[in-house]
Amino acid sequence: MSSSDSAVERLLAAELGQRPRADAQRNVRRLVDAARKAVAEVGVDVTAHEIARRAGVGIGTFYRRLPSREALLGAVLADTLDEIVALADRALRNPDPWRGFRDFAEDYVGLRATSCGINDALGGQCPLEIDSSLTALRDRFRQLVERAQEAGAIRSDLVWQDVPFLLSSVIPADRTIGLRAGPEQWRRNLRIVLDGLDREPARSRD
């Protein structure tokens, strides 16, 4: 099941006692897809009218099919966070603890860099209920860091809580001292941070 499918299921589950018609399911799917793109481009402040416009439906249809704008955005963000947790689980299955951690770090920072909605949510600026997803993500961060430390791959003088802050610092501001950040600046920043975490920095460039 894709993340969009999961979000649709979450939202349709609210319609207790009856199976939604096919057209209702199609409209919810269109709204979910539109909301995912809108959150990535605009952030969690995107309006219901803007989501409906992108989905090609009227605002009346939006509120007939969904309980609220917040419910839609909450489902979309929760499912995106679930995707990140799934990426962490895949990294934990990598037999090489350092490569697993590094691959996850690249995916995680990449999602934050390209989606202002996820960046806002993970930065504590999200008004939506995503506590359970954040709890799962914190647990995976701890496992990834401690596993790599036990293997001697990450510096032992760090605590796992240092790492989420370090990775969030990789995403640059649009401008600094008159310089504009390019689209790949976050990758350069990430490589520098990984070099600092790795006990064998040359591996971060492999």
Side-chain angles (χ1 to χ4, degrees):
M1 177 183 294
S2 71
S3 182
S4 292
D5 289 338
S6 180
V8 170
E9 291 297 326
R10 288 182 190 218
L11 291 163
L12 290 178
E15 298 193 28
L16 301 176
Q18 60 181 1
R19 180 176 177 79
R21 299 195 318 268
D23 63 328
Q25 295 182 51
R26 284 194 298 272
N27 283 333
V28 171
R29 183 176 303 281
R30 290 165 69 182
L31 287 163
V32 165
D33 290 341
R36 286 177 67 86
K37 294 176 183 175
V39 167
E41 296 170 13
V42 180
V44 293
D45 292 330
V46 65
T47 66
H49 283 82
E50 174 62 12
I51 295 169
R53 182 190 69 77
R54 290 174 179 238
V57 303
I59 192 65
T61 297
F62 182 104
Y63 282 111
R64 278 197 303 275
R65 301 304 177 206
L66 300 171
S68 66
R69 180 193 76 99
E70 289 74 20
L72 172 59
L73 297 183
V76 167
L77 283 174
D79 278 307
T80 305
L81 289 173
D82 287 347
E83 286 183 35
I84 298 175
V85 170
L87 289 169
D89 287 337
R90 185 178 71 183
L92 286 167
R93 292 192 295 271
N94 191 315
D96 184 323
W98 168 253
R99 290 188 180 277
F101 169 78
R102 186 194 64 185
D103 291 347
F104 171 74
E106 291 175 353
D107 289 334
Y108 175 74
V109 175
L111 281 169
R112 290 196 64 153
T114 57
S115 172
C116 57
I118 288 300
N119 200 38
D120 288 348
L122 295 176
Q125 302 173 39
C126 180
L128 305 171
E129 180 54 54
I130 54 174
D131 286 350
S132 61
S133 297
L134 291 176
T135 296
L137 182 54
R138 285 193 294 269
D139 177 65
R140 301 315 192 277
F141 256 111
R142 178 187 58 77
Q143 292 184 58
L144 283 165
V145 174
E146 291 180 351
R147 177 174 178 252
Q149 285 179 317
E150 289 169 3
I154 286 182
R155 292 168 44 173
S156 60
D157 59 325
L158 300 173
V159 294
W160 75 264
Q161 292 93 335
D162 293 330
V163 176
F165 286 106
L166 289 170
L167 294 183
S168 67
S169 72
V170 163
I171 302 170
D174 290 337
R175 291 176 178 270
T176 184
I177 62 166
L179 301 172
R180 180 184 291 276
E184 296 298 302
Q185 185 62 53
W186 69 268
R187 293 185 186 277
R188 295 173 58 83
N189 294 353
L190 177 60
R191 187 162 61 247
I192 293 166
V193 168
L194 290 175
D195 277 353
L197 291 171
D198 189 3
R199 295 187 64 179
E200 298 178 35
R203 293 185 301 183
S204 300
R205 305 186 190 97
D206 293 342

